[in-house]
Amino acid sequence: MKVYTKTGDKGTTALFGGTRVPKHHIRIESYGTIDELNSHIGLIRDQDINQLYKNTLMHIQDRLFTVGAILATDPEKAELKNGKSRLNIPKISNQDIEKLEKEMDSMEDSLPPMTHFVLPGGHQTVSFCHIARTVCRRAERLASHLNEIEPFQPETLMYINRLSDYLFVLARKLSYDLKAEEIKWIPQKNS
Protein backbone atom coordinates (compact mmCIF):
# COMPACT_ATOMS: atom_id res chain seq x y z
CA MET A 1 0.00 0.00 0.00
CA LYS A 2 1.39 3.40 -0.97
CA VAL A 3 1.41 6.35 1.42
CA TYR A 4 0.16 8.73 -1.24
CA THR A 5 -3.32 8.17 -2.64
CA LYS A 6 -3.78 11.40 -4.62
CA THR A 7 -7.39 11.54 -3.39
CA GLY A 8 -6.68 14.73 -1.47
CA ASP A 9 -5.07 16.61 -4.33
CA LYS A 10 -8.09 18.90 -4.68
CA GLY A 11 -8.17 19.90 -1.01
CA THR A 12 -10.57 17.33 0.42
CA THR A 13 -10.06 14.34 2.66
CA ALA A 14 -12.18 11.43 3.87
CA LEU A 15 -13.55 11.05 7.38
CA PHE A 16 -13.84 7.64 8.99
CA GLY A 17 -16.95 6.35 7.24
CA GLY A 18 -16.05 7.78 3.83
CA THR A 19 -17.59 11.26 3.90
CA ARG A 20 -15.35 13.75 2.07
CA VAL A 21 -14.83 17.20 3.57
CA PRO A 22 -12.49 20.14 2.91
CA LYS A 23 -9.10 19.79 4.59
CA HIS A 24 -9.81 22.99 6.53
CA HIS A 25 -13.05 21.57 8.04
CA ILE A 26 -13.29 22.03 11.83
CA ARG A 27 -13.32 18.23 12.25
CA ILE A 28 -10.00 17.95 10.37
CA GLU A 29 -8.53 20.86 12.34
CA SER A 30 -9.61 19.13 15.56
CA TYR A 31 -8.09 15.72 14.97
CA GLY A 32 -5.12 17.22 13.13
CA THR A 33 -4.28 19.24 16.24
CA ILE A 34 -4.60 16.08 18.35
CA ASP A 35 -2.07 14.47 15.96
CA GLU A 36 0.24 17.47 16.41
CA LEU A 37 -0.12 17.16 20.19
CA ASN A 38 0.70 13.45 20.00
CA SER A 39 3.95 14.29 18.19
CA HIS A 40 4.92 16.83 20.85
CA ILE A 41 4.22 14.24 23.56
CA GLY A 42 6.50 11.83 21.69
CA LEU A 43 9.22 14.48 21.88
CA ILE A 44 8.78 14.74 25.67
CA ARG A 45 8.85 10.94 25.95
CA ASP A 46 12.17 10.91 24.05
CA GLN A 47 13.83 13.04 26.73
CA ASP A 48 15.94 11.70 29.59
CA ILE A 49 13.08 11.52 32.10
CA ASN A 50 11.76 9.05 34.67
CA GLN A 51 10.49 5.80 33.12
CA LEU A 52 7.17 6.23 34.96
CA TYR A 53 6.55 9.46 33.03
CA LYS A 54 7.55 7.77 29.77
CA ASN A 55 5.10 4.94 30.42
CA THR A 56 2.31 7.39 31.24
CA LEU A 57 3.08 9.43 28.13
CA MET A 58 2.98 6.30 25.97
CA HIS A 59 -0.44 5.46 27.42
CA ILE A 60 -1.56 9.03 26.69
CA GLN A 61 -0.34 8.69 23.10
CA ASP A 62 -2.45 5.55 22.73
CA ARG A 63 -5.50 7.38 24.10
CA LEU A 64 -4.85 10.31 21.74
CA PHE A 65 -5.11 7.95 18.78
CA THR A 66 -8.54 7.01 20.13
CA VAL A 67 -9.45 10.70 20.55
CA GLY A 68 -8.35 11.29 16.95
CA ALA A 69 -10.46 8.37 15.71
CA ILE A 70 -13.51 9.67 17.58
CA LEU A 71 -13.04 13.15 16.12
CA ALA A 72 -12.41 11.73 12.62
CA THR A 73 -15.68 9.81 12.55
CA ASP A 74 -18.63 11.26 10.66
CA PRO A 75 -21.43 11.22 13.27
CA GLU A 76 -23.95 10.27 10.60
CA LYS A 77 -21.91 7.16 9.86
CA ALA A 78 -20.76 6.35 13.40
CA GLU A 79 -23.17 3.45 13.60
CA LEU A 80 -23.14 0.59 11.10
CA LYS A 81 -26.33 -0.84 9.59
CA ASN A 82 -26.17 -3.75 12.04
CA GLY A 83 -26.31 -1.25 14.95
CA LYS A 84 -22.69 -1.68 16.01
CA SER A 85 -20.29 1.22 16.38
CA ARG A 86 -18.06 1.90 13.38
CA LEU A 87 -15.21 2.45 15.86
CA ASN A 88 -14.62 -1.02 17.22
CA ILE A 89 -12.18 0.20 19.90
CA PRO A 90 -12.54 1.18 23.56
CA LYS A 91 -13.70 4.80 23.76
CA ILE A 92 -12.31 7.35 26.21
CA SER A 93 -13.51 6.33 29.66
CA ASN A 94 -13.89 7.93 33.06
CA GLN A 95 -11.00 5.65 34.10
CA ASP A 96 -8.77 7.36 31.51
CA ILE A 97 -9.63 10.74 33.02
CA GLU A 98 -9.14 9.44 36.57
CA LYS A 99 -5.73 8.04 35.62
CA LEU A 100 -4.59 11.55 34.62
CA GLU A 101 -6.00 12.95 37.87
CA LYS A 102 -4.19 10.33 39.97
CA GLU A 103 -0.91 11.03 38.16
CA MET A 104 -1.33 14.76 38.81
CA ASP A 105 -2.14 14.18 42.48
CA SER A 106 0.93 11.98 42.85
CA MET A 107 3.24 14.55 41.22
CA GLU A 108 1.77 17.47 43.16
CA ASP A 109 2.43 15.70 46.49
CA SER A 110 6.16 16.42 46.06
CA LEU A 111 5.84 19.95 44.64
CA PRO A 112 5.81 23.22 46.52
CA PRO A 113 2.40 24.93 46.40
CA MET A 114 1.90 27.20 43.43
CA THR A 115 1.51 30.82 44.49
CA HIS A 116 2.00 32.55 41.10
CA PHE A 117 1.80 31.81 37.42
CA VAL A 118 5.13 30.49 36.15
CA LEU A 119 6.97 31.50 33.02
CA PRO A 120 7.38 28.58 30.61
CA GLY A 121 10.99 27.46 30.36
CA GLY A 122 13.92 26.73 32.64
CA HIS A 123 14.98 23.55 30.85
CA GLN A 124 14.47 22.26 27.32
CA THR A 125 12.40 19.27 28.50
CA VAL A 126 10.18 21.56 30.58
CA SER A 127 9.72 23.83 27.57
CA PHE A 128 8.63 20.84 25.47
CA CYS A 129 5.94 20.17 28.11
CA HIS A 130 4.70 23.73 27.96
CA ILE A 131 4.54 23.62 24.17
CA ALA A 132 2.55 20.38 24.35
CA ARG A 133 0.26 21.97 26.96
CA THR A 134 -0.51 24.95 24.71
CA VAL A 135 -1.10 22.68 21.69
CA CYS A 136 -3.44 20.65 23.90
CA ARG A 137 -5.36 23.82 24.81
CA ARG A 138 -5.68 24.68 21.12
CA ALA A 139 -6.93 21.15 20.43
CA GLU A 140 -9.46 21.63 23.22
CA ARG A 141 -10.71 24.92 21.76
CA LEU A 142 -11.14 23.32 18.35
CA ALA A 143 -12.80 20.19 19.75
CA SER A 144 -15.10 22.34 21.88
CA HIS A 145 -16.16 24.25 18.77
CA LEU A 146 -16.72 20.98 16.89
CA ASN A 147 -18.74 19.62 19.82
CA GLU A 148 -21.10 22.62 19.59
CA ILE A 149 -21.71 21.84 15.91
CA GLU A 150 -21.70 18.04 16.04
CA PRO A 151 -21.64 16.66 19.60
CA PHE A 152 -19.42 13.68 20.36
CA GLN A 153 -18.67 11.55 23.41
CA PRO A 154 -18.44 13.93 26.43
CA GLU A 155 -15.54 12.03 28.01
CA THR A 156 -13.41 12.84 24.98
CA LEU A 157 -13.62 16.59 25.59
CA MET A 158 -13.10 16.05 29.33
CA TYR A 159 -9.97 13.99 28.60
CA ILE A 160 -8.45 16.73 26.43
CA ASN A 161 -9.15 19.29 29.16
CA ARG A 162 -7.60 17.12 31.87
CA LEU A 163 -4.61 16.34 29.67
CA SER A 164 -3.61 19.99 29.42
CA ASP A 165 -3.70 20.15 33.23
CA TYR A 166 -1.57 17.00 33.39
CA LEU A 167 1.00 18.51 31.03
CA PHE A 168 1.22 21.64 33.20
CA VAL A 169 1.79 19.58 36.34
CA LEU A 170 4.31 17.40 34.49
CA ALA A 171 6.20 20.55 33.45
CA ARG A 172 6.34 21.66 37.09
CA LYS A 173 7.41 18.17 38.25
CA LEU A 174 10.13 17.99 35.60
CA SER A 175 11.35 21.43 36.68
CA TYR A 176 11.57 20.07 40.21
CA ASP A 177 13.25 16.77 39.18
CA LEU A 178 15.73 18.52 36.88
CA LYS A 179 16.44 21.24 39.45
CA ALA A 180 15.48 23.85 36.87
CA GLU A 181 14.52 27.27 38.06
CA GLU A 182 10.78 27.86 38.06
CA ILE A 183 10.40 31.58 37.45
CA LYS A 184 7.28 33.13 38.93
CA TRP A 185 5.45 35.70 36.88
CA ILE A 186 5.14 38.79 39.03
CA PRO A 187 3.31 41.53 37.12
CA GLN A 188 5.07 44.83 36.85
CA LYS A 189 3.47 47.68 38.72
CA ASN A 190 2.33 50.91 37.08
CA SER A 191 4.67 53.75 37.97
Side-chain angles (χ1 to χ4, degrees), residues 2 6 17 28 35 55 132 135 158-159 175:
K2 293 184 179 188
K6 301 183 183 182
I28 307 307
D35 186 35
N55 293 345
V135 171
M158 291 168 60
Y159 185 81
S175 287

Side-chain angles (χ1 to χ4, degrees), residues 154-172:
E155 291 83 0
T156 300
L157 196 54
M158 291 168 60
Y159 185 81
I160 300 168
N161 180 44
R162 208 70 84 251
L163 179 56
S164 62
D165 296 334
Y166 168 84
L167 291 166
F168 177 75
V169 175
L170 179 61
R172 289 200 70 221

Side-chain angles (χ1 to χ4, degrees), residues 81-96:
K81 289 179 183 176
N82 63 10
K84 292 185 180 181
S85 175
R86 180 173 295 281
L87 282 178
N88 190 20
I89 57 174
K91 305 292 187 296
I92 298 300
S93 68
N94 284 321
Q95 289 78 18
D96 292 320

